[in-house]
Amino acid sequence: MAKLNFVKSNFLDKINSCFKLFIFIFLTILLILLKTLLQFFSKKISMKIVQTFHKLLLWVLNINVKVFGKKNPNNMPTLYVSNHLSYLDIPVLGSTLNGRFIAKNEISHWPFAGYLSRVGNTIFINRNLKFLKKNKSIISDHISSGDNIILFPEGTTSDGMRVLKFKSSLLYSLDQKNIIIQPIVINYKSINGMPLNRWLKPIIAWYGDMDLKPHIINIFKLFSIKAKITFLTPLNGSDFTDRKDMTSTLHHVIDSFYSNELNNNLSN
């Protein structure tokens, strides 16, 4: 990765980054205190505080998000299903949606990130077989209680060159139920003004055995990141014969849209 193109080397840039980081830490502590105090009085305000944190994180990371399409217009609790490229997907979607992310239980034990995830209303799934029965109903239970749910059915992050096969296990409880499901496509368009081609995608995408710490440090060094969220046509769980049909359809819709965008980007 060429330092001249991607790394902030100017003294004023470094000062600005340090200032933004200081403001971010201060406001994060303030937001955590506010959420701790207000979550017992208003669920809506609590969710808005979490959304504000995600917007703050985008600001400190210099991420600009453009939204295309429309969220489910019926104001009904919705399951949002998205492709997954990076940990950056969390604030990118979280800044736009008031919802609860689903994540593997291991993340809850990560230093700092685990704590923020817990404060941020994340639902943690234990993949141990003895929790399988409980996991099957977790999405429908939360949607029934009025929550929006944000799910990455790939179960892990991809390299950004394709959408991985979706796992159907968490959609088990949605078979033929009247639940709104809206597919979403996340695509990162550019860094520092340069189109994100196949060679630059690993700067954003975090996958495989990549070390997390150096990847995050390099993200902080970028001048700008442009991300795009596209809300596709909402579907209804009752329209599918079973969860495998639902999983296959959602994957096809998201993969087709993402692949078309990817091909257009690489051909330009």
Side-chain angles (χ1 to χ4, degrees):
M1 186 167 58
K3 184 175 180 178
L4 181 63
N5 292 331
F6 298 109
V7 177
K8 296 175 181 176
S9 56
N10 183 283
F11 177 74
L12 291 179
D13 289 330
K14 292 180 179 180
I15 292 295
N16 181 59
S17 295
C18 291
F19 174 74
K20 290 178 72 173
L21 186 59
F22 173 79
I23 295 297
F24 169 74
I25 293 172
F26 173 77
L27 291 179
T28 295
I29 294 172
L30 180 61
L31 289 173
I32 290 173
L33 291 174
L34 283 173
K35 183 179 183 297
T36 303
L37 291 172
L38 298 176
Q39 63 184 349
F40 302 105
F41 301 98
S42 173
K43 182 177 179 180
K44 185 176 180 180
I45 292 177
S46 175
M47 298 298 287
K48 281 293 184 183
I49 291 174
V50 174
Q51 188 176 31
T52 299
F53 168 77
H54 288 304
K55 291 180 178 180
L56 179 64
L57 190 53
L58 294 186
W59 171 72
V60 78
L61 293 175
N62 303 304
I63 301 177
N64 178 262
V65 178
K66 292 289 182 66
V67 178
F68 296 83
K70 294 182 179 180
K71 290 180 282 187
N72 172 33
N74 298 322
N75 294 320
M76 293 175 59
T78 301
L79 170 64
Y80 294 100
V81 175
S82 175
N83 62 311
H84 197 17
L85 298 96
S86 172
Y87 47 83
L88 295 178
D89 300 343
I90 307 297
V92 166
L93 285 180
S95 67
T96 304
L97 296 170
N98 278 323
R100 303 185 67 171
F101 288 93
I102 291 183
K104 58 184 180 181
N105 191 59
E106 292 86 341
I107 293 177
S108 67
H109 303 296
W110 288 6
F112 187 62
Y115 172 73
L116 289 179
S117 297
R118 293 192 297 272
V119 174
N121 301 319
T122 299
I123 302 167
F124 295 104
I125 299 294
N126 194 316
R127 295 180 178 180
N128 190 297
L129 289 177
K130 67 180 181 180
F131 292 94
L132 184 61
K133 185 176 181 180
K134 178 182 178 181
N135 292 344
K136 284 180 179 179
S137 64
I138 199 163
I139 290 179
S140 60
D141 289 347
H142 279 280
I143 288 179
S144 297
S145 69
D147 291 333
N148 292 321
I149 301 297
I150 306 167
L151 175 67
F152 300 114
E154 290 169 277
T156 187
T157 49
S158 74
D159 61 4
M161 297 307 299
R162 68 198 189 284
V163 177
L164 302 177
K165 184 178 178 180
F166 285 1
K167 301 181 184 300
S168 65
S169 56
L170 287 177
L171 300 175
Y172 185 93
S173 64
L174 305 185
D175 283 1
Q176 300 180 324
K177 287 193 175 181
N178 183 27
I179 291 177
I180 302 300
I181 306 169
Q182 184 159 26
I184 300 173
V185 175
I186 298 178
N187 193 10
Y188 294 89
K189 307 295 290 185
S190 69
I191 53 175
N192 294 357
M194 298 184 65
L196 204 62
N197 57 37
R198 69 175 73 244
W199 296 280
L200 299 181
K201 276 193 177 294
I203 298 174
I204 297 295
W206 180 67
Y207 57 96
D209 58 355
M210 283 184 171
D211 289 334
L212 181 59
K213 184 177 178 180
H215 196 275
I216 292 176
I217 290 173
N218 284 331
I219 290 292
F220 268 95
K221 291 179 179 179
L222 296 175
F223 291 107
S224 67
I225 301 170
K226 289 189 177 180
K228 176 182 177 181
I229 299 175
T230 304
F231 288 93
L232 304 181
T233 304
L235 306 170
N236 194 299
S238 62
D239 295 333
F240 302 98
T241 56
D242 53 39
R243 65 187 170 97
K244 291 187 177 180
D245 177 31
M246 183 189 306
T247 304
S248 176
T249 300
L250 288 168
H251 182 271
H252 174 72
V253 168
I254 292 173
D255 182 48
S256 297
F257 191 94
Y258 183 79
S259 296
N260 287 336
E261 284 221 323
L262 185 63
N263 291 334
N264 290 335
N265 290 347
L266 295 179
S267 63
N268 291 335

